[in-house]
Amino acid sequence: MSPNITPEVIAKHGITPEEYTRIQAILGRDPNFTELGVFSVMWSEHCSYKNSKPELRKFPTSGPRVLVKAGEENAGVIDIGDGWAVAFKMESHNHPSAVEPFQGAATGVGGIIRDIFTMGARPVFSLDSLRFGPLSEPRNRQLFAGVVSGIAHYGNCIGVPTIGGEVYFDESYNGNPLVNVFCLGVLRHEEIARGAASGIGNPVFYVGAETGRDGLAGAAFASRDLTEESKEDRPAVQVGDPFKEKLLLEACLELLASGCVAGIQDMGAAGLTCSTCETASRGDTGVEIDLALVPKRETGMTPYETLLSESQERMLIIVKLGEEDAVKRIFEKWDLPYAHVGFVRDDGMMRVKNHGETVVEIPAKKLADEAPIYHREVKARPIPAPFDNAQLPETDLQAALPALLADPSIASKEWVWQQYDHMVRNGCVVRPGSDSAVFYIREADKFVAATSDCNSLYCSLDPREGAKAAIAEAARNLACSGAVPLAVTDNLNFGNPHNPENFWQLQQCVEGLAEGCNAFDVPVTGGNVSLYNQSPAGAIDPTPTVGMVGLIESEEHITTQHFQSEGDVIFLLGEIGHEMGGSHFLKVLHGRKEGLPPRVHFATERAIHDALRKLIRMGTVRSAHDCSEGGLAVALAECSFANQLGARVQLTSNEPDAVALFNESQARIILTTDPAKAAQVVSELESIGVPFSRLGVVGGSLLTIVARQTWEWPVADLRAGWSSAIGRWMDHS
Amino acid sequence: MKFAVIRFPGSNCDQDCQRSIDALPGASAEYVWHKETSLAGYDAMVLPGGFSYGDYLRCGAIARFSPIMPAVRAAAAEGKLVIGICNGFQILCEAGLLPGALVRNEKLHFVCRDTWLRVETAETPFTNRCAAGDILKIPVAHGEGRYTADTETLAELNANGQVVLRYTEANGQVSPAANPNGSMENIAGVCNAARNVFGLMPHPDRATEQRLGSEDGRVIFESMLNLSYVA
Amino acid sequence: MKATVVVMPKASVLDPQGVAVKNAVHSLGLAAVESIRVGKVMEIELSGPLDAAGEKQLHTICHELLSNPVIEDYRLEISAS
Amino acid sequence: MKATVVVMPKASVLDPQGVAVKNAVHSLGLAAVESIRVGKVMEIELSGPLDAAGEKQLHTICHELLSNPVIEDYRLEISAS
Ligand SMILES: Nc1ncnc2c1ncn2[C@@H]1O[C@H](COP(=O)(O)OP(=O)(O)O)[C@@H](O)[C@H]1O
Ligand SMILES: [Mg+2]
């Protein structure tokens, strides 16, 4: 019945001859067809990280607040005090979204939410980090619209608010969009659930959606280049059912609270295969299941198909012996399909039967943990020289600011986040539109801030420095909201690792991220690697997305980027700056992605963030906003929009105005203060000894920047172009 | 006063409702599972927001056949207070306990944002602590909230003062821009002829605390708590 | 046996989705399209033929569950295979 | 002239809506229903008869705009009146 194992079959499974010999050694025999399938998914990059593991070891992963480390379980867990903890993680669903944007993005959301409640945490909010080709391309608009409505569909329905994220548009994402979704959940320390099959003889339950032929071998799919054929790779796209997942979520949390559960594991990539062998491996036990007992949606499914299916909304639950009935009652209350499919064994085997006949028998630990590790060849690309500001092209600066603000990557993302229910659960106290989202975790009475950041233009020019900038910006965004960074999750999106230049980018970015995490004392608690982000046109710009979570000590410290009232005094923390390399000024206005991107000096960054937090604690800060894409001028405009309050500022710099207004040097924050407290701010900053300058005052309906010349724009006009830019592309085309 | 917050599979504002109501002096709110068949002992019923049964087919179309619904119907007939918020409003319309229907937003997108609502009548158990003309800032979050009814029904609603809330600008002006979903006549909330059943798309349960951006939603629940009010 | 239920928005009810699709079709250059209305279709597999009572029940279900008479009309067709 | 496009989820693809509706129908007591799949129907008014080119174009539109071949199949019927 099942095909014999020819070299072609082996190759089709993405298994190299060396890997095949390794499999023979592990088994002491040839694998059968089903076992070959099992190895192929478990040893895919997506599941085994065989290409990236040596790099990931460079991340700092421990710290006083770390309760569950990266890689130990489905998501890391961080202490937030008073016996409360947060579990969070970021996941990509790039390839599925490229073929079916709505379902691809929706199931991406479902997957990361499952990772979080598998830890025993109640998911409380999400962020989404998105990358597309330019909106001028109809196909890109289609992908963008589909992805956003897919995220909205799943997140809104299940009732987990999407409160922040980012969206960038660049040619390098043509045909290969990035969809990275972050989710955070809350739990008590004692509620941390484990994905281990412990307790020999414990029954193993399957609960959730019936298994169909969905997403056969999606993990392998995610570990290949996107080609024309991948359009034909159709079966790899799954359809999500957020309603089913909502029931599963509530049932699992009720189940975990009941104390009947010995172990729990979601079925994500590689479905039943991954969950059975990983729980066995973590528990140093064996797991034996019979596929005949698995609830199925379709008839005539082979063991191969059943094991490798990636049907969504399914969990594997190891129940404490004797508690079966209590568990069944909960499944039935929530109208969920379930079945008792097997037992925990003592022989360390992943043993899969079909109607009693053994179809798979593999040592679980070897399968899960002994995937081959590859040290890929690296080839450095030349790092560009610093951009010579004397060579700046002639630019009409009056038109430059409105043009930058109307560029989709900088423009308001309102068109996106208005489609997301960001208010459900009554916790979003700083809504999308400020540097970080801030969420009030009611059950814990804590204020958590979160942001996701990555400037992939910097990374394409200088991967290490770009990755450092991503960490610096994330930390800066948290500081601007009044938060102290706690920990990081990351999503490494890169091209094919067999290309030495791509792999060099990965390596450089990982080292840059690691350096940044050490500089801010924030551990990496987990993340996701997505390689093979290529279209026929080539690899994407390296995109090491950073999700950073911070804690705000007291409600009074919550700060937004919006100017608050007429007459407030505006300060700039940091220098006026001068670096134009990798700037959006060059990219958007002159179509040039070039130059050495801004350097990151962590000591300065940290000093400035600490100074800002000190001022916030002293109650002297009315608003704070960092400078990112588009530099100081864009940042000032962004501060003025929400309350439609203009400003008059003076920039003293020996650079030309284009540089003073639009350079993207790092470590810069615009803060405002009550005039009565301005003197206090000055003396405090002087005593701390960080660079700063007094820029001007808030007020009026104009944004006026006095540099060598005086530049003036009506705030209402700037705001109109900025807020409608994406909608104009999407709704009227 | 005892509130029942009815939990359908897929409800996701049940907690928000329970907490916002339970926090009010004189109010206690408990969950009632949709498989229950009695609402004895409760003074007011809350059908919360969410995606009951995934909102498959039409929002509220399946939920209205839940085992608990006959009890809701009976409570309404007895003159007890029934409020449906967002998905709850959709369920009440599908069940025929309120006139009209809620269809896909005109712009076809889900919309989550603050809206300003003009109180059209204070003569209801749900708005008696307001004055007609008051403006409330309360957020919406829905994909299918466009209120639709035939001309006769609309005329009747207007004649009987059953239109309780309309979307307006912050200054109380009715305008297309203020209408988040294309509802007929900017209608945001209506009550039945007996005035004891009320449905609205905006979420008062999300506007009971300054830290969330508004406290204006509280007055709806406080009105329900006003035992001295007689229609 | 097979039953097919087609549910369409009432003519009096504004159908923005239909309009959006029409505009998209026009932008792709098919001018001959004058109007589009978007509805739902439900394909129902039946275990066997329905007696009169069963058919009546199916109509009730179309009327109360599968369509909302306030905004929609339905057509029910029952066919062998 | 009139064209009708019916877009159904592919047989192999999960149709959560269909499952939910089937369960609801069962709870209303119509056991004879074995399965339900829910799709979209688009009723298109045409200004006049389509020539071969126009019909071909309509098929392209069905394939690229009105349906998503990844998860859906479509049927196109063109009829007078
Ligand atoms: N995809 C998205 N989903 C939700 N919110 C988003 C999304 N993209 C951007 N935002 C929000 O828009 C605001 C500006 O985003 P961004 O320009 O990336 O901020 P920054 O440059 O400070 O990181 C932030 O509040 C962000 O959370
Ligand atoms: Mg920022």
Side-chain angles (χ1 to χ4, degrees):
Chain A
M1 44 162 275
S2 63
N4 358 353
I5 313 296
T6 64
E8 295 67 39
V9 171
I10 297 171
K12 228 177 161 359
H13 280 79
I15 291 176
T16 66
E18 302 70 41
E19 289 172 346
Y20 188 72
T21 9
R22 195 185 184 107
I23 293 170
Q24 290 170 308
I26 288 175
L27 295 177
R29 58 178 166 85
D30 285 336
N32 62 38
F33 184 68
T34 307
E35 290 170 329
L36 188 70
V38 166
F39 274 101
S40 79
V41 287
M42 286 308 295
W43 287 8
S44 68
E45 173 61 30
H46 187 87
C47 293
S48 72
Y49 295 93
K50 59 187 171 188
N51 295 298
S52 47
K53 223 178 213 153
E55 298 306 318
L56 299 179
R57 293 205 184 93
K58 296 172 179 171
F59 286 139
T61 57
S62 49
R65 288 180 177 272
V66 178
L67 301 177
V68 174
K69 271 181 142 191
E72 269 178 37
E73 296 279 349
N74 294 280
V77 180
I78 291 288
D79 176 20
I80 56 169
D82 304 326
W84 290 95
V86 289
F88 59 90
K89 190 178 173 198
M90 191 151 36
E91 269 278 355
S92 66
H93 233 212
N94 303 340
H95 285 56
S97 305
V99 223
E100 213 301 299
F102 182 92
Q103 292 296 343
T107 51
V109 173
I112 188 64
I113 289 177
R114 263 191 320 279
D115 273 329
I116 297 308
F117 69 79
T118 301
M119 295 306 301
R122 170 166 292 273
V124 291
F125 68 81
S126 304
L127 309 175
D128 63 328
S129 171
L130 311 176
R131 303 286 186 284
F132 301 91
L135 289 178
S136 48
E137 277 300 313
R139 176 58 183 163
N140 294 332
R141 293 199 292 270
Q142 220 176 17
L143 287 168
F144 179 42
V147 163
V148 169
S149 47
I151 291 169
H153 165 69
Y154 210 105
N156 298 355
C157 180
I158 197 169
V160 176
T162 307
I163 63 172
E166 49 178 352
V167 191
Y168 289 85
F169 302 90
D170 181 87
E171 285 74 9
S172 82
Y173 303 107
N174 274 329
N176 198 130
L178 300 185
V179 177
N180 296 175
V181 185
F182 165 108
C183 183
L184 177 142
V186 63
L187 71 167
R188 303 279 311 162
H189 290 187
E190 62 274 15
E191 289 172 341
I192 298 174
R194 298 289 174 170
S198 51
I200 309 304
N202 276 342
V204 175
F205 276 72
Y206 169 114
V207 61
E210 290 94 348
T211 296
R213 293 189 174 87
D214 315 284
L216 273 183
F221 178 59
S223 309
R224 273 205 311 279
D225 292 2
L226 273 183
T227 61
E228 269 315 300
E229 298 74 69
S230 12
K231 293 227 187 57
E232 303 317 315
D233 261 321
R234 296 283 152 84
V237 175
Q238 320 96 329
V239 168
D241 182 357
F243 172 58
K244 183 65 77 41
E245 177 139 313
K246 168 72 172 166
L247 301 181
L248 193 58
L249 156 65
E250 298 299 339
C252 287
L253 292 180
E254 193 171 327
L255 208 59
L256 289 163
S258 74
C260 301
V261 173
I264 179 168
Q265 174 69 45
D266 70 304
M267 298 189 208
L272 266 169
T273 300
C274 197
S275 52
T276 46
C277 86
E278 279 191 352
T279 46
S281 165
R282 287 203 196 99
D284 290 308
T285 54
V287 167
E288 176 179 315
I289 63 170
D290 193 319
L291 297 177
L293 303 169
V294 169
K296 297 187 195 67
R297 193 177 80 237
E298 298 179 74
T299 52
M301 289 184 68
T302 66
Y304 181 95
E305 292 172 323
T306 314
L307 268 177
L308 269 57
S309 157
E310 294 192 356
S311 295
Q312 302 289 299
E313 293 95 25
R314 304 179 299 164
M315 304 286 276
L316 195 74
I317 292 173
I318 290 92
V319 175
K320 292 180 182 165
L321 192 60
E323 303 288 358
E324 292 86 341
D325 291 341
V327 168
K328 290 178 185 172
R329 269 197 301 279
I330 294 175
F331 293 149
E332 278 153 15
K333 168 183 171 185
W334 293 98
D335 298 318
L336 287 165
Y338 67 90
H340 174 187
V341 294
F343 292 95
V344 178
R345 299 296 190 206
D346 61 2
D347 58 4
M349 284 291 169
M350 168 190 182
R351 187 177 298 101
V352 179
K353 300 189 166 180
N354 191 32
H355 297 284
E357 169 207 353
T358 300
V359 290
V360 168
E361 194 165 34
I362 306 173
K365 252 209 164 8
K366 291 192 154 55
L367 175 60
D369 308 341
E370 291 184 21
I373 297 296
Y374 297 110
H375 297 267
R376 294 282 169 208
E377 183 191 342
V378 305
K379 180 166 176 298
R381 282 204 210 169
I383 304 288
F387 188 86
D388 173 3
N389 292 350
Q391 303 303 315
L392 263 186
E394 268 309 312
T395 313
D396 168 0
L397 296 191
Q398 190 61 36
L401 180 55
L404 281 165
L405 287 167
D407 176 72
S409 294
I410 294 178
S412 168
K413 306 306 186 297
E414 180 180 306
W415 185 89
V416 175
W417 48 258
Q418 272 200 356
Q419 295 186 52
Y420 300 153
D421 186 345
H422 48 278
M423 303 183 193
V424 62
R425 298 195 61 78
N426 278 354
C428 187
V429 291
V430 174
R431 295 180 185 178
S434 195
D435 285 319
S436 309
V438 179
F439 195 89
Y440 176 51
I441 302 180
R442 219 164 268 275
E443 38 276 81
D445 191 27
K446 302 276 182 197
F447 293 87
V448 168
T451 179
S452 78
D453 296 280
C454 177
N455 182 322
S456 56
L457 172 52
Y458 297 169
C459 295
S460 70
L461 296 165
D462 180 345
R464 175 184 295 262
E465 209 64 16
K468 286 163 65 180
I471 294 280
E473 179 174 2
R476 216 181 301 134
N477 282 330
L478 291 183
C480 286
S481 69
V484 183
L486 290 180
V488 161
T489 176
D490 66 287
N491 205 324
L492 303 171
N493 307 276
F494 293 86
N496 187 327
H498 298 270
N499 171 326
E501 288 193 340
N502 293 347
F503 198 79
W504 171 77
Q505 293 179 326
L506 170 69
Q507 190 174 64
Q508 290 289 302
C509 285
V510 167
E511 288 170 8
L513 292 181
E515 190 182 334
C517 291
N518 289 319
F520 289 101
D521 302 317
V522 284
V524 173
T525 62
N528 173 250
V529 178
S530 171
L531 306 179
Y532 305 90
N533 290 291
Q534 311 247 150
S535 61
I540 59 162
D541 284 351
T543 313
T545 311
V546 170
M548 197 181 284
V549 174
L551 196 58
I552 300 180
E553 289 146 359
S554 121
E555 187 163 11
E556 292 67 52
H557 299 171
I558 298 172
T559 308
T560 69
Q561 73 184 40
H562 317 304
F563 287 153
Q564 292 300 311
S565 39
E566 294 266 347
D568 282 358
V569 179
I570 307 171
F571 288 93
L572 173 68
L573 295 187
E575 317 275 0
I576 297 284
H578 63 277
E579 291 153 294
M580 296 300 286
S583 66
H584 269 56
F585 180 92
L586 285 175
K587 183 191 174 190
V588 175
L589 305 175
H590 302 287
R592 292 164 63 173
K593 296 168 70 175
E594 65 182 57
L596 184 70
R599 308 285 88 189
V600 178
H601 307 286
F602 284 121
T604 324
E605 278 287 352
R606 236 196 124 135
I608 281 173
H609 303 181
D610 291 339
L612 173 62
R613 272 186 294 263
K614 183 135 190 262
L615 292 170
I616 287 174
R617 289 196 192 93
M618 292 165 56
T620 60
V621 178
R622 282 255 175 90
S623 74
H625 184 29
D626 76 313
C627 300
S628 54
E629 293 80 12
L632 195 50
V634 163
L636 283 164
E638 288 171 343
C639 296
S640 71
F641 290 151
N643 300 322
Q644 308 209 38
L645 278 172
R648 182 177 184 85
V649 303
Q650 172 103 40
L651 305 185
T652 16
S653 151
N654 15 19
E655 299 286 342
D657 284 3
V659 175
L661 270 66
F662 298 108
N663 81 79
E664 295 185 11
S665 286
Q666 299 291 293
R668 295 184 300 163
I669 291 167
I670 296 164
L671 75 82
T672 61
T673 183
D674 173 345
K677 295 180 175 165
Q680 192 186 354
V681 167
V682 170
S683 60
E684 190 58 40
L685 289 173
E686 278 167 348
S687 70
I688 298 173
V690 289
F692 75 98
S693 53
R694 182 179 176 132
L695 290 186
V697 284
V698 174
S701 61
L702 300 176
L703 173 61
T704 307
I705 302 181
V706 182
R708 292 185 181 179
Q709 290 180 53
T710 296
W711 304 97
E712 199 157 75
W713 300 268
V715 169
D717 297 357
L718 294 177
R719 185 173 185 275
W722 168 83
S723 61
S724 63
I726 290 181
R728 275 204 311 278
W729 275 115
M730 300 307 294
D731 294 335
H732 314 298
S733 55
Chain B
M1 189 167 183
K2 246 176 103 186
F3 288 73
V5 176
I6 296 167
R7 278 188 146 157
F8 298 93
S11 295
N12 64 30
C13 304
D14 43 352
Q15 271 184 324
D16 298 347
C17 283
Q18 193 275 341
R19 283 170 172 155
S20 346
I21 295 170
D22 204 62
L24 299 174
S28 73
E30 295 170 4
Y31 298 115
V32 174
W33 185 236
H34 72 115
K35 287 178 184 173
E36 300 294 324
T37 52
S38 159
L39 287 164
Y42 293 102
D43 311 297
M45 325 302 148
V46 183
L47 281 67
F51 287 69
S52 55
Y53 295 90
D55 276 355
Y56 291 127
L57 199 55
R58 291 180 314 280
C59 304
I62 301 178
R64 74 110 151 178
F65 290 105
S66 277
I68 193 65
M69 285 310 285
V72 172
R73 217 174 270 284
E78 283 171 49
K80 291 190 174 162
L81 301 188
V82 178
I83 183 174
I85 300 169
C86 197
N87 194 224
F89 185 15
Q90 294 162 332
I91 294 169
L92 290 174
C93 288
E94 282 285 339
L97 286 166
L98 287 172
L102 294 148
V103 297
R104 185 106 179 257
N105 295 352
E106 192 169 14
K107 292 214 175 66
L108 303 174
H109 295 310
F110 188 98
V111 59
C112 178
R113 66 160 167 102
D114 284 326
T115 58
W116 283 264
L117 307 168
R118 192 175 69 203
V119 177
E120 300 295 84
T121 168
E123 303 301 307
T124 79
F126 310 92
T127 50
N128 61 73
R129 291 228 185 254
C130 314
D134 283 359
I135 305 298
L136 308 176
K137 181 187 173 198
I138 299 180
V140 294
H142 58 253
E144 308 196 0
R146 175 163 50 110
Y147 187 77
T148 307
D150 57 45
T151 9
E152 305 76 66
T153 313
L154 277 182
E156 211 176 301
L157 290 177
N158 285 310
N160 307 344
Q162 288 175 249
V163 175
V164 181
L165 301 169
R166 283 186 215 275
Y167 301 107
T168 65
E169 313 275 337
N171 64 11
Q173 286 310 310
V174 170
S175 77
N179 187 339
N181 51 33
S183 283
M184 289 181 168
E185 298 185 9
N186 282 45
I187 291 173
V190 299
C191 67
N192 63 344
R195 309 185 88 71
N196 67 314
V197 179
F198 175 44
L200 72 170
M201 289 312 295
H203 279 277
D205 50 311
R206 296 183 182 187
T208 59
E209 281 177 303
Q210 218 26 273
R211 68 155 67 99
L212 297 177
S214 171
E215 298 180 322
D216 295 357
R218 224 166 32 201
V219 68
I220 302 284
F221 303 121
E222 284 164 349
S223 297
M224 296 172 75
L225 285 166
N226 178 9
L227 302 170
S228 62
Y229 173 77
V230 278
Chain C
M1 290 289 288
K2 200 154 164 302
T4 306
V5 181
V6 172
V7 177
M8 296 302 294
K10 277 189 157 53
S12 57
V13 175
L14 169 72
D15 175 21
Q17 199 182 358
V19 175
V21 176
K22 189 193 79 188
N23 296 340
V25 169
H26 281 174
S27 70
L28 292 177
L30 192 61
V33 170
E34 281 183 339
S35 75
I36 300 185
R37 295 186 71 76
V38 181
K40 289 195 215 74
V41 55
M42 282 154 265
E43 294 183 352
I44 306 179
E45 289 296 334
L46 297 165
S47 53
L50 289 177
D51 56 11
E55 191 165 331
K56 188 159 167 306
Q57 191 181 10
L58 186 48
H59 269 287
T60 318
I61 287 174
C62 288
H63 191 75
E64 292 181 353
L65 173 70
L66 302 185
S67 75
N68 177 347
V70 177
I71 44 167
E72 299 167 325
D73 301 316
Y74 76 89
R75 290 196 307 274
L76 168 62
E77 283 161 23
I78 302 178
S79 65
S81 90
Chain D
M1 290 292 287
K2 203 156 163 303
T4 306
V5 181
V6 172
V7 177
M8 296 300 294
K10 277 187 164 29
S12 59
V13 165
L14 172 67
D15 174 22
Q17 177 155 245
V19 175
V21 177
K22 186 194 76 189
N23 296 338
V25 169
H26 281 175
S27 69
L28 292 180
L30 191 59
V33 169
E34 279 183 341
S35 77
I36 300 185
R37 297 187 72 77
V38 181
K40 281 202 275 351
V41 55
M42 280 153 274
E43 295 183 351
I44 305 178
E45 290 298 334
L46 297 164
S47 54
L50 289 176
D51 56 12
E55 191 167 331
K56 190 160 167 305
Q57 192 179 10
L58 189 48
H59 270 287
T60 320
I61 288 173
C62 289
H63 191 76
E64 289 176 1
L65 177 73
L66 303 184
S67 76
N68 179 349
V70 178
I71 49 174
E72 299 167 325
D73 299 319
Y74 76 90
R75 287 196 307 274
L76 169 61
E77 282 161 24
I78 303 177
S79 63
S81 88

